[in-house]
Amino acid sequence: MEEKLSILADAAKYDVACTSSGVDRKGKEGSIGSAFQSGICHTFTADGRCVSLLKILFTNECIFDCKYCINRSSNDVKRTTFTPDEVCNLTIEFYRRNYIEGLFLSSGILHSPNYTMDLIYQTLKKLRCEYHFNGYIHCKAIPGADPELIELAGWYADRMSVNLELPTADGLKNLAPHKSRKNILNPIRQIQSGIEESQELLGMSGGNKGAYWHTRRKLEGKTIEQKRKEDAIRYQSTKRIDNTGQLDNTGKLGNVGKLDNAGNLDNTGKLGTLKKKSSIILPGEAEERNWVQSAPTGLSKISQFAGSRGFVPAGQSTQMIIGATPETDFELISVTEALYQKFDLKRVFYSAFIRVNDDSALPVIPGGPPLLREHRLYQADWLLRYYGFMAGELLTKERPNFNVYLDPKCNWALGHLEEFPVEVNKADYYTLLRVPGIGPKSAGRIVKARRMASLNFADLKKLGVVLKRALYFITCDGKMMYPTKIEENYITRQLLNLNEALPKHITNDGMTYEQLSLFQIPNFS
Amino acid sequence: MKPVKIVQCVDSVEGIFTAVYDAWAMKYGHEFIKLEVIGMDESLNYELFSEYVLVEPDSLKAEKVAKSIRSKISEQAYELVVKAALSSDVRKADAIYHFLVRGFLMGKKVVDNLSDPYVQQIFEMNRFVGNETHFFKGFLRFVELKNGILLGKMEPKSNIVELLTPHFADRFAAENFMIVDMKRGVASIHQRNQEWFMTALEEEQMEALAAYDTEETEYSVLWKAFFKSVAIKERENYNLQRNQVRLRYRKHMTEFQE
């Protein structure tokens, strides 16, 4: 058992998502377990990543041959498979000792996608119904499995995820020949629409939208009801609920027709633009509609499960591998934005590419995994979800990659000096959020505290504002902290001179911050 | 200038509240009053020209203070103060007193007055206590004893057993478990499907509990194996790990035991 667990945990570790967040659920009589909205980290591994869930593969036997994956069928690794009871028992006993917050069940593809999805579903069902586990469960939807099996698993899981793996179709074709973007995006769409429907029918109030959705809503000054109504209108154009409460394909979809395998469609008359964009996986509404099933069949088991936990109540997430294929940061962040906007994902994770297989199709990255790039992407992801930035503000086609020396927010601020300085005692929350050195917590505190008294720089420091970064961008009652030039090169130099240590997880990127010479920065001449 | 009066009390919510009551009743002028918990700061020297007053805890007085906070300031302020009283911060009694002085003057708005140093201290202590409680929701480890009872030992900085137990009582309603603060000798006891309660432990009991440490069981071995295999070698980073799980928390965590 110990060996089996080691193999199947080892094989699952490259999946970065380990969050147990997104759902609040009290304990239930006769069951063991609860769930906590913000999630709970139970320990941290030697690489500093949080362990929250028992993250394992059901099996590492796999018929697919994805070039980046340690479990690819052509690899000679030890193969093994759990039984559903083994998984259930491990989960319960680990949970009782408070080692874990729940289960994260992924799997290699054993025999066929359907066979595998069914195994996952059977295991989850057993864990919930026979072992009475009421804690957190995250499971994978297997690309290519029947919608019905995916739905069944969704009634037992809290969160589901389908990994996008690579942001472009070309990348996917090269490195994961057995996967297609259609097979990846369709389950995502199905789960999204299932979550919507289950919320409507089960009367889940407040909704279960991600941070991105709520940030946009607040920025537009809308209430939850207003925004939901708008979404419903948008949604109506792609689906219709008939008398029986079943969804069917109608309206615009009919005209667009069926998906083809290549994901291209030519009867919309917009072929020119589509062709051009088709290298990005999710460029625009039009293309997306072509190969994504816009109106999945709906929840067919809703009567059977009504009143239960709900369908995937903690939402869904996905992950992309960074640096295995030549996409730019702009492409990555645009894809991310599209996933939040159009697929209501809770989280998009990035995984710095680690060369576990020696394959000529895979790049050799001299400094090890691109951890700094991964870090910048996460920073940008936060800017999208909590700060109200749009992808197009952070990067453009002309400037498609993040500056490794400065975080994305400083970088943005330096390019938009005309919007500064900001008056701390007057500016609204979202304007404050755009100031380098001010985050959601300190911005919230500022808004609260200034109702009582006008704030000065000493107060800001105490409220948690990082003044060494913020001082170039703010005034308190019309005065700057000390006279400073508002000029791009000057501030850039000052910010770089801060010599701020990079976060601790950036160590072996083949580049250390200390080695930085100012003359390397093109901006400076 | 008047000499400062230093009001000393014992380390408990009741003790601090009693000191607040007595200090208030002195009508000495709030700015000349300082509260101090006895024995918290060993490096502390007696101050010259100060007058020391020792206050014995009195449940009636403490009850009155609690009632006034809830009715004259707010329920939120009450929670903030109680949590601050559980912290390990040596300034806590004094911060609570001066926070309450402001609170009784301003009412419930006192909690928004974030530029006030005492209000800041109260929030700071709350953050620490709250964070530590949250950490232990994840870091606490249970060992299953022969009779099926789950024993969870810990040594937190703040006095959080009472704050932590509701989480586990909800999660493990059908389990018998106890959570023990090995430093303070206090524990919470939860029996299957019953209300939990707090208890102080005798020295022999503590010694008996300390002996349960290093037992290897089937599941602790499996857990350690899992913990080892999920780390990615190419990303190894012990600094980050140390930042996330402080060394002081690791003593009772299965995966960090040799």
Side-chain angles (χ1 to χ4, degrees), chain A residues 251-268:
Chain A
K252 292 187 177 167
L253 281 173
N255 309 335
V256 196
K258 289 280 176 216
L259 318 165
D260 67 11
N261 286 339
N264 288 320
L265 200 104
D266 51 10
N267 62 354
T268 57

Side-chain angles (χ1 to χ4, degrees), chain A residues 448-508:
Chain A
K448 239 182 189 179
R450 71 187 179 191
R451 280 188 221 131
M452 312 296 292
S454 177
L455 302 174
N456 59 36
F457 285 97
D459 294 331
L460 292 184
K461 200 175 172 67
K462 286 181 200 150
L463 295 179
V465 174
V466 186
L467 279 182
K468 59 186 175 182
R469 247 176 289 150
L471 74 95
Y472 307 99
F473 305 101
I474 51 173
T475 57
C476 284
D477 291 325
K479 289 191 203 80
M480 297 202 77
M481 192 163 162
Y482 40 77
T484 167
K485 279 186 271 184
I486 303 191
E487 192 258 310
E488 188 176 345
N489 282 348
Y490 172 76
I491 300 176
T492 310
R493 212 170 312 130
Q494 296 296 321
L495 288 173
L496 287 170
N497 276 344
L498 289 177
N499 244 339
E500 273 179 302
L502 279 164
K504 287 213 165 61
H505 63 281
I506 316 295
T507 48
N508 52 350

Side-chain angles (χ1 to χ4, degrees), chain B residues 100-119:
Chain B
L100 291 177
V101 166
R102 284 154 178 73
F104 287 128
L105 199 76
M106 304 171 65
K108 65 177 180 203
K109 277 199 281 188
V110 65
V111 297
D112 292 334
N113 198 7
L114 294 176
S115 50
D116 181 276
Y118 291 109
V119 180

Side-chain angles (χ1 to χ4, degrees), chain B residues 31-174:
Chain B
E31 63 270 42
F32 300 110
I33 285 193
K34 206 174 152 192
L35 265 66
E36 201 176 282
V37 174
I38 301 175
M40 269 193 98
D41 191 354
E42 281 153 7
S43 65
L44 208 67
N45 285 318
Y46 279 90
E47 289 173 34
L48 276 178
F49 311 114
S50 301
E51 190 184 329
Y52 281 81
V53 186
L54 182 65
V55 169
E56 291 295 331
D58 178 324
S59 61
L60 267 177
K61 289 178 182 173
E63 193 50 47
K64 278 185 188 163
V65 172
K67 231 171 125 184
S68 315
I69 301 172
R70 300 171 108 143
S71 61
K72 291 185 184 138
I73 309 177
S74 67
E75 201 60 38
Q76 189 200 356
Y78 177 72
E79 270 171 37
L80 285 170
V81 167
V82 169
K83 256 195 193 170
L86 296 174
S87 90
S88 58
D89 195 310
V90 292
R91 304 166 301 172
K92 66 185 182 184
D94 198 47
I96 288 171
Y97 181 71
H98 291 282
F99 172 80
L100 291 177
V101 166
R102 284 154 178 73
F104 287 128
L105 199 76
M106 304 171 65
K108 65 177 180 203
K109 277 199 281 188
V110 65
V111 297
D112 292 334
N113 198 7
L114 294 176
S115 50
D116 181 276
Y118 291 109
V119 180
Q120 272 167 12
Q121 282 177 27
I122 292 291
F123 271 92
E124 204 181 299
M125 292 171 201
N126 266 269
R127 271 200 293 280
F128 193 90
V129 172
N131 286 346
E132 203 174 28
T133 309
H134 183 75
F135 287 150
F136 273 99
K137 284 180 185 168
F139 296 165
L140 183 70
R141 293 286 173 270
F142 288 104
V143 177
E144 189 178 36
L145 308 182
K146 297 239 156 50
N147 48 14
I149 293 175
L150 297 172
L151 168 66
K153 295 193 282 191
M154 61 175 192
E155 290 175 39
K157 270 195 171 175
S158 326
N159 187 5
I160 54 170
V161 178
E162 208 173 337
L163 295 176
L164 188 63
T165 305
H167 169 78
F168 289 102
D170 177 57
R171 174 165 288 198
F172 298 136

Side-chain angles (χ1 to χ4, degrees), chain A residues 295-427:
Chain A
T297 45
L299 298 172
S300 56
K301 315 279 179 214
I302 199 152
S303 53
Q304 197 180 326
F305 291 97
S308 69
R309 274 162 241 97
F311 181 81
V312 197
Q316 56 177 336
S317 61
T318 192
Q319 125 174 9
M320 289 187 275
I321 301 166
I322 307 305
T325 43
E327 290 87 9
T328 62
D329 290 345
F330 179 59
E331 284 172 299
L332 282 161
I333 216 74
S334 305
V335 168
T336 302
E337 187 175 53
L339 287 167
Y340 288 137
Q341 276 173 357
K342 303 199 174 93
F343 291 82
D344 282 329
L345 287 202
K346 276 291 183 69
R347 283 292 302 270
V348 174
F349 292 94
Y350 310 96
S351 162
F353 169 67
I354 298 170
R355 202 167 194 273
V356 289
N357 297 327
D358 198 17
D359 190 303
S360 59
L362 297 172
V364 178
I365 303 176
L371 295 178
L372 180 55
R373 187 168 175 214
E374 181 195 275
H375 176 64
R376 292 285 179 244
L377 285 164
Y378 274 118
Q379 286 181 316
D381 181 71
W382 248 256
L383 294 181
L384 297 181
R385 288 188 302 132
Y386 292 101
Y387 292 70
F389 280 93
M390 307 288 280
E393 291 181 280
L394 298 171
L395 292 173
T396 56
K397 237 181 222 151
E398 292 70 42
R399 209 166 42 85
N401 288 307
F402 286 115
N403 183 334
V404 289
Y405 303 108
L406 284 171
D407 69 77
K409 194 171 158 189
C410 276
N411 207 29
W412 172 84
L414 287 168
H416 295 82
L417 287 177
E418 70 282 358
E419 302 191 17
F420 297 101
V422 160
E423 170 53 49
V424 170
N425 284 304
K426 290 210 178 72

Side-chain angles (χ1 to χ4, degrees), chain A residues 236-242 246-255 257-259 292-298:
Chain A
Q236 286 297 317
S237 62
T238 53
K239 71 163 190 181
R240 181 172 65 90
I241 299 177
D242 66 19
Q246 295 281 331
L247 306 178
D248 62 359
N249 298 15
T250 51
K252 292 187 177 167
L253 281 173
N255 309 335
K258 289 280 176 216
L259 318 165
V292 177
Q293 186 184 357
S294 301
T297 45

Side-chain angles (χ1 to χ4, degrees), chain B residues 9 11 13 26 32-33 37 40 43 48 58 66 74 91 105 115 120 138 169 191 214 218-219 222 241 244 246 253 258:
Chain B
C9 58
D11 188 1
V13 178
M26 286 170 192
F32 300 110
I33 285 193
V37 174
M40 269 193 98
S43 65
L48 276 178
D58 178 324
S74 67
R91 304 166 301 172
L105 199 76
S115 50
Q120 272 167 12
Q191 283 175 286
T214 45
E218 187 191 346
Y219 291 104
L222 286 175
Q241 187 190 30
Q244 303 278 22
R246 295 280 172 199
M253 291 173 73
E258 286 303 307

